Amino acid sequence: MRFRTVLIAAAAASSALATPAMAHRQWLLPSTTTLAGTSEYVTVDAAVSNDLFYPDHVALDPAAVKVWAPDGSEGKVENPSKGRYRGTFDVAIDKPGTWKIGMERSMIGGTFKLNGEQWRVGGRRPPMAPGAARPSGAAPAGAAPAGAAPARAPGAPGSAGGQAGGQPMRMVASVAEIPAGATEVKLTESLSTYAIYVSADAPTKGVLTPTGKGLEFDPVTHPDALVSDEEAQFRFLVDGKPAAGVKVTLVPGGKKYREAEHAQELTTGADGMVRVKWPVAGMYWMSATTEDAKPSDKRASARRMTFGSTLEVVAP
């Protein structure tokens, strides 16, 4: 019970405790974030799960991961493997300083109407532009093949999205495939980054230098220098400027063995800063989110941005 008591007392003193609705969360979990010397490896687990950091849903593909060395050069993912619930890979830490390991994604998605029918922009099925010629008997993009069972109606249990009457929603793969005759176009740009940081010998700033694009993590306290009895200061930027109102969630790992999340829900001030007190040492999942009306494509009306990381907090 000591672990639970310390968590509640410490977190209540710094911010309101919250228990967000359970949701699948993606994460990278390094075997360590600090190394002595440059002749070692870090092993990273990669998954999407309900409990942190317990793989119980699906694996993340190591092929989607990139590595940046302290000098900005490209590193290498070694020994990649993807199982049912977890992906794993190694990174050789062969240069001193801080390495960045993670995933970056940008996309524009949404919906539009064509001839009274609802279409979706973005999806996993092979795309076909509206109005494109199809072989006789061929199903439109997003539709089930001839003879297949009809898809569930939208909102029905197990539905992946569709239209009234039990037909799956038609789709195109990108904004470029939206036809000129489309109406009620509703698009949102989504930018997401998930990164972890591993330092050899001593932490450096290089890979943490902001690029001035989207939501970025610009910490005052280095993410590889976190100690449980010391307050950390993290700054978030949007397009290179301090961002107010960014929602930051921090959740300690090991939820499988606790009754509650013990999450901290923080919001950046005008200086883009949040100040974090760590209830206990361990691995923490961090997620920062914000949105604005400054998408890169003029056809989109909103931009949603997320930044996530796994942080190691050591005992004093």
Side-chain angles (χ1 to χ4, degrees), residues 121 172-179 297 299:
V121 181
V172 295
S174 67
V175 173
E177 296 180 11
I178 299 175
D297 192 299
R299 288 168 290 186

Side-chain angles (χ1 to χ4, degrees), residues 118-199:
Q118 188 93 335
W119 287 72
R120 188 173 72 207
V121 181
R124 296 182 179 180
R125 294 179 184 270
M128 180 173 288
R134 301 182 177 93
S136 177
R152 295 179 177 89
S159 173
Q163 302 190 98
Q167 295 301 313
M169 186 181 294
R170 303 184 184 209
M171 66 180 66
V172 295
S174 67
V175 173
E177 296 180 11
I178 299 175
T183 61
E184 299 184 35
V185 178
K186 299 176 181 179
L187 300 174
T188 298
E189 181 178 24
S190 299
L191 306 173
S192 63
T193 299
Y194 197 100
I196 56 175
Y197 303 95
V198 178
S199 295

